[in-house]
Amino acid sequence: MASVSSRITFLGAAGTVTGSKFLVETDRARILVDCGLFQGPKELRERNWRQLPVEPSSLDAIVVTHAHLDHVGFVPVVVRDGFGGAVWASESTGRMAEVVMSDSGRIQEEDAERANRKGYSKHRPALPLYTERDAEAAATRFRTTEWERPTEVAPGVQLTLRRAGHILGSAAARLEADGMSVMFSGDLGRPFHPILAPPEPPLSADTVVVESTYGDTEHLEEDATDELGEVIRQTAERGGTVVIPAFAIDRTEVILHSLAALARSGRIPHIPVYLDSPMARAALGFYARAIVEHHYDIREDVRGRPEVLDPGDLRIVESVDESKAINRVRPPLIVISASGMATGGRVLHHLARCLPDPRSAVILVGYQAGGTRGASLRDGAEHVRIHGADVPVRAEVHSLPAFSVHADRSELVDWLAAMPSRPQTIVAVHGDPEAAAGLAGGAADLGATVLTPGDGDTISV
């Protein structure tokens, strides 16, 4: 039996869909599973400034399931504040995390500098949560563990990774120690991802901590590529610009895959596609390499075919000056830029320029957390605030949630049901309260106790 002192404390992604941090404590070790930033509305982002309830130096290890910012973006803070151990992840996650963290640090420095220069922050001076140099220091802490091979990551604690199919390198992680076994889903992908192989069934565990981003939603199975093509055709005909806020890792590749299919079949006109995100540029390189090298994560029918990500006139933007030069390009054109919920990054400049233009269109292709600009646009806002100014919304706004790479309620329940032996406890996290409750209802027939913890709650395992 597990020791009564083994427990999990939920320091993020509990009652919300961001900021994943799960503190696992045993008789001999203290491990943080995921170490993400809170994103979205101000009240969530402010949590990034609060101290962890444990000293970073007391952590024996950190385990990162994948390289999205809400799972890896807080590592630089923990390392800067005294964590001296290893951060364990798959090889692809470690490589991409370095880019993600550095990009985040750079953006935070730029945002602080802009706020100080333009005077729209109440903080004097405005400061970044961490710097690019902090991120570079954090990247040196990453260590690789092989798929399916148990690795001791802390005294008496074994880690085993399984493919999660959400983004390149994404993993579900099982921790075992002193009779305790906990499976963390990380973020789970869908069986129909156009580039990545589907999630693998989970390993057996007494407790499973599972994401519930779409725990109350059933996705449409049909491909949204045709709808994407129709919006692009109509916008091109009226001489507008299509702006696609997209998460830099994976969503960008999924959109490029669809654009390539549309271009090859002649369903969209031949117009330039600008990829304007330093992090997305780096991520595209990782994906192209994985496809060429027949990576474990890549679907068999895509391996060796990097052309599936080429829409024909792809222009990869590097410098800030090149990004600004897009303003001088005569439409029609397509701009793909981060962030996916329009919370920051270069996409804000493109939105500020195109939202007042009724010829243009904005296409939302991912989850939009409440309180973000993306959610405001999805919900029909007439104005959004960007860089301290109110920007009128006259462009068309389209939401295409079928491009999501998060599993829906049925897919999550199917993943849970595929465990070789049923868990005693299922814990729904990484979802808004309604989504977590929806998954809890869907999982009720699996015979386990289902919990939906709140921020700071602790359970015994």
mmCIF file of all heavy atoms in Angstrom, residues 174-194:
data_model
loop_
_atom_site.group_PDB
_atom_site.id
_atom_site.type_symbol
_atom_site.label_atom_id
_atom_site.label_comp_id
_atom_site.label_asym_id
_atom_site.label_seq_id
_atom_site.Cartn_x
_atom_site.Cartn_y
_atom_site.Cartn_z
ATOM 1 N N ARG A 174 3.760 8.491 -15.772
ATOM 2 C CA ARG A 174 3.419 7.726 -14.562
ATOM 3 C C ARG A 174 4.563 7.819 -13.566
ATOM 4 O O ARG A 174 5.723 7.603 -13.907
ATOM 5 C CB ARG A 174 3.145 6.257 -14.874
ATOM 6 C CG ARG A 174 2.740 5.466 -13.612
ATOM 7 C CD ARG A 174 2.354 4.037 -13.917
ATOM 8 N NE ARG A 174 3.494 3.223 -14.346
ATOM 9 C CZ ARG A 174 3.401 1.930 -14.639
ATOM 10 N NH1 ARG A 174 2.221 1.314 -14.574
ATOM 11 N NH2 ARG A 174 4.467 1.260 -15.043
ATOM 12 N N LEU A 175 4.210 8.142 -12.315
ATOM 13 C CA LEU A 175 5.155 8.123 -11.207
ATOM 14 C C LEU A 175 4.809 6.951 -10.293
ATOM 15 O O LEU A 175 3.639 6.743 -9.959
ATOM 16 C CB LEU A 175 5.100 9.423 -10.405
ATOM 17 C CG LEU A 175 5.568 10.704 -11.098
ATOM 18 C CD1 LEU A 175 5.480 11.881 -10.136
ATOM 19 C CD2 LEU A 175 6.986 10.558 -11.626
ATOM 20 N N GLU A 176 5.838 6.207 -9.894
ATOM 21 C CA GLU A 176 5.680 5.086 -8.971
ATOM 22 C C GLU A 176 6.680 5.245 -7.835
ATOM 23 O O GLU A 176 7.860 5.529 -8.080
ATOM 24 C CB GLU A 176 5.928 3.757 -9.670
ATOM 25 C CG GLU A 176 4.965 3.442 -10.798
ATOM 26 C CD GLU A 176 5.342 2.165 -11.509
ATOM 27 O OE1 GLU A 176 6.280 2.206 -12.331
ATOM 28 O OE2 GLU A 176 4.719 1.126 -11.227
ATOM 29 N N ALA A 177 6.215 5.040 -6.603
ATOM 30 C CA ALA A 177 7.102 5.132 -5.442
ATOM 31 C C ALA A 177 6.434 4.499 -4.231
ATOM 32 O O ALA A 177 5.287 4.829 -3.909
ATOM 33 C CB ALA A 177 7.432 6.591 -5.135
ATOM 34 N N ASP A 178 7.153 3.580 -3.583
ATOM 35 C CA ASP A 178 6.694 3.010 -2.314
ATOM 36 C C ASP A 178 5.251 2.519 -2.374
ATOM 37 O O ASP A 178 4.444 2.775 -1.471
ATOM 38 C CB ASP A 178 6.838 4.056 -1.191
ATOM 39 C CG ASP A 178 8.274 4.536 -1.034
ATOM 40 O OD1 ASP A 178 9.191 3.720 -1.208
ATOM 41 O OD2 ASP A 178 8.468 5.733 -0.748
ATOM 42 N N GLY A 179 4.914 1.836 -3.460
ATOM 43 C CA GLY A 179 3.560 1.304 -3.602
ATOM 44 C C GLY A 179 2.565 2.294 -4.165
ATOM 45 O O GLY A 179 1.417 1.937 -4.445
ATOM 46 N N MET A 180 2.967 3.545 -4.352
ATOM 47 C CA MET A 180 2.111 4.569 -4.934
ATOM 48 C C MET A 180 2.289 4.579 -6.446
ATOM 49 O O MET A 180 3.392 4.468 -6.953
ATOM 50 C CB MET A 180 2.488 5.947 -4.377
ATOM 51 C CG MET A 180 1.756 7.108 -5.046
ATOM 52 S SD MET A 180 2.640 8.686 -4.893
ATOM 53 C CE MET A 180 3.953 8.475 -6.093
ATOM 54 N N SER A 181 1.198 4.733 -7.189
ATOM 55 C CA SER A 181 1.289 4.901 -8.641
ATOM 56 C C SER A 181 0.271 5.940 -9.088
ATOM 57 O O SER A 181 -0.919 5.846 -8.769
ATOM 58 C CB SER A 181 1.039 3.572 -9.359
ATOM 59 O OG SER A 181 -0.223 3.036 -9.015
ATOM 60 N N VAL A 182 0.759 6.950 -9.800
ATOM 61 C CA VAL A 182 -0.089 8.031 -10.304
ATOM 62 C C VAL A 182 0.226 8.253 -11.773
ATOM 63 O O VAL A 182 1.390 8.398 -12.156
ATOM 64 C CB VAL A 182 0.134 9.355 -9.532
ATOM 65 C CG1 VAL A 182 -0.866 10.409 -10.007
ATOM 66 C CG2 VAL A 182 0.015 9.145 -8.035
ATOM 67 N N MET A 183 -0.804 8.279 -12.608
ATOM 68 C CA MET A 183 -0.665 8.559 -14.035
ATOM 69 C C MET A 183 -1.164 9.979 -14.301
ATOM 70 O O MET A 183 -2.303 10.322 -13.944
ATOM 71 C CB MET A 183 -1.497 7.562 -14.853
ATOM 72 C CG MET A 183 -1.240 7.614 -16.352
ATOM 73 S SD MET A 183 0.259 6.725 -16.791
ATOM 74 C CE MET A 183 0.491 7.239 -18.499
ATOM 75 N N PHE A 184 -0.317 10.812 -14.890
ATOM 76 C CA PHE A 184 -0.689 12.178 -15.278
ATOM 77 C C PHE A 184 -0.856 12.212 -16.793
ATOM 78 O O PHE A 184 0.080 11.884 -17.529
ATOM 79 C CB PHE A 184 0.398 13.172 -14.855
ATOM 80 C CG PHE A 184 0.541 13.338 -13.371
ATOM 81 C CD1 PHE A 184 1.371 12.495 -12.646
ATOM 82 C CD2 PHE A 184 -0.149 14.328 -12.693
ATOM 83 C CE1 PHE A 184 1.523 12.637 -11.276
ATOM 84 C CE2 PHE A 184 -0.021 14.480 -11.317
ATOM 85 C CZ PHE A 184 0.823 13.628 -10.605
ATOM 86 N N SER A 185 -2.004 12.623 -17.256
ATOM 87 C CA SER A 185 -2.268 12.609 -18.697
ATOM 88 C C SER A 185 -1.490 13.674 -19.450
ATOM 89 O O SER A 185 -1.256 13.533 -20.652
ATOM 90 C CB SER A 185 -3.760 12.808 -18.968
ATOM 91 O OG SER A 185 -4.155 14.150 -18.703
ATOM 92 N N GLY A 186 -1.054 14.751 -18.749
ATOM 93 C CA GLY A 186 -0.640 15.930 -19.506
ATOM 94 C C GLY A 186 -1.821 16.390 -20.334
ATOM 95 O O GLY A 186 -2.977 16.255 -19.917
ATOM 96 N N ASP A 187 -1.571 16.934 -21.505
ATOM 97 C CA ASP A 187 -2.659 17.251 -22.433
ATOM 98 C C ASP A 187 -2.729 16.132 -23.467
ATOM 99 O O ASP A 187 -1.713 15.742 -24.040
ATOM 100 C CB ASP A 187 -2.413 18.582 -23.134
ATOM 101 C CG ASP A 187 -2.669 19.770 -22.221
ATOM 102 O OD1 ASP A 187 -3.115 19.552 -21.077
ATOM 103 O OD2 ASP A 187 -2.410 20.907 -22.650
ATOM 104 N N LEU A 188 -3.933 15.637 -23.712
ATOM 105 C CA LEU A 188 -4.129 14.510 -24.618
ATOM 106 C C LEU A 188 -4.595 14.988 -25.988
ATOM 107 O O LEU A 188 -5.478 15.850 -26.098
ATOM 108 C CB LEU A 188 -5.161 13.537 -24.042
ATOM 109 C CG LEU A 188 -4.702 12.729 -22.827
ATOM 110 C CD1 LEU A 188 -5.879 11.968 -22.239
ATOM 111 C CD2 LEU A 188 -3.582 11.766 -23.201
ATOM 112 N N GLY A 189 -4.003 14.416 -27.015
ATOM 113 C CA GLY A 189 -4.411 14.721 -28.376
ATOM 114 C C GLY A 189 -5.611 13.906 -28.810
ATOM 115 O O GLY A 189 -6.219 13.172 -28.024
ATOM 116 N N ARG A 190 -5.930 14.023 -30.096
ATOM 117 C CA ARG A 190 -7.088 13.358 -30.671
ATOM 118 C C ARG A 190 -6.635 12.223 -31.585
ATOM 119 O O ARG A 190 -5.517 12.251 -32.123
ATOM 120 C CB ARG A 190 -7.935 14.358 -31.452
ATOM 121 C CG ARG A 190 -8.342 15.579 -30.638
ATOM 122 C CD ARG A 190 -9.403 16.354 -31.359
ATOM 123 N NE ARG A 190 -10.618 15.577 -31.465
ATOM 124 C CZ ARG A 190 -11.575 15.785 -32.367
ATOM 125 N NH1 ARG A 190 -11.433 16.725 -33.275
ATOM 126 N NH2 ARG A 190 -12.654 15.030 -32.390
ATOM 127 N N PRO A 191 -7.491 11.257 -31.803
ATOM 128 C CA PRO A 191 -7.118 10.161 -32.715
ATOM 129 C C PRO A 191 -6.919 10.605 -34.153
ATOM 130 O O PRO A 191 -6.295 9.894 -34.936
ATOM 131 C CB PRO A 191 -8.310 9.196 -32.602
ATOM 132 C CG PRO A 191 -9.012 9.558 -31.341
ATOM 133 C CD PRO A 191 -8.798 11.029 -31.174
ATOM 134 N N PHE A 192 -7.438 11.808 -34.521
ATOM 135 C CA PHE A 192 -7.471 12.213 -35.927
ATOM 136 C C PHE A 192 -6.466 13.316 -36.251
ATOM 137 O O PHE A 192 -6.628 14.027 -37.236
ATOM 138 C CB PHE A 192 -8.884 12.697 -36.288
ATOM 139 C CG PHE A 192 -9.964 11.787 -35.795
ATOM 140 C CD1 PHE A 192 -10.755 12.137 -34.718
ATOM 141 C CD2 PHE A 192 -10.175 10.560 -36.398
ATOM 142 C CE1 PHE A 192 -11.750 11.284 -34.259
ATOM 143 C CE2 PHE A 192 -11.173 9.708 -35.942
ATOM 144 C CZ PHE A 192 -11.959 10.064 -34.866
ATOM 145 N N HIS A 193 -5.445 13.498 -35.422
ATOM 146 C CA HIS A 193 -4.443 14.531 -35.700
ATOM 147 C C HIS A 193 -3.830 14.267 -37.076
ATOM 148 O O HIS A 193 -3.449 13.136 -37.383
ATOM 149 C CB HIS A 193 -3.363 14.505 -34.620
ATOM 150 C CG HIS A 193 -2.492 15.726 -34.601
ATOM 151 N ND1 HIS A 193 -1.610 16.023 -35.616
ATOM 152 C CD2 HIS A 193 -2.360 16.723 -33.685
ATOM 153 C CE1 HIS A 193 -0.983 17.148 -35.332
ATOM 154 N NE2 HIS A 193 -1.417 17.596 -34.165
ATOM 155 N N PRO A 194 -3.694 15.298 -37.918
ATOM 156 C CA PRO A 194 -3.212 15.055 -39.288
ATOM 157 C C PRO A 194 -1.715 14.764 -39.381
ATOM 158 O O PRO A 194 -1.256 14.308 -40.439
ATOM 159 C CB PRO A 194 -3.550 16.361 -40.007
ATOM 160 C CG PRO A 194 -3.544 17.396 -38.932
ATOM 161 C CD PRO A 194 -4.091 16.703 -37.718
#
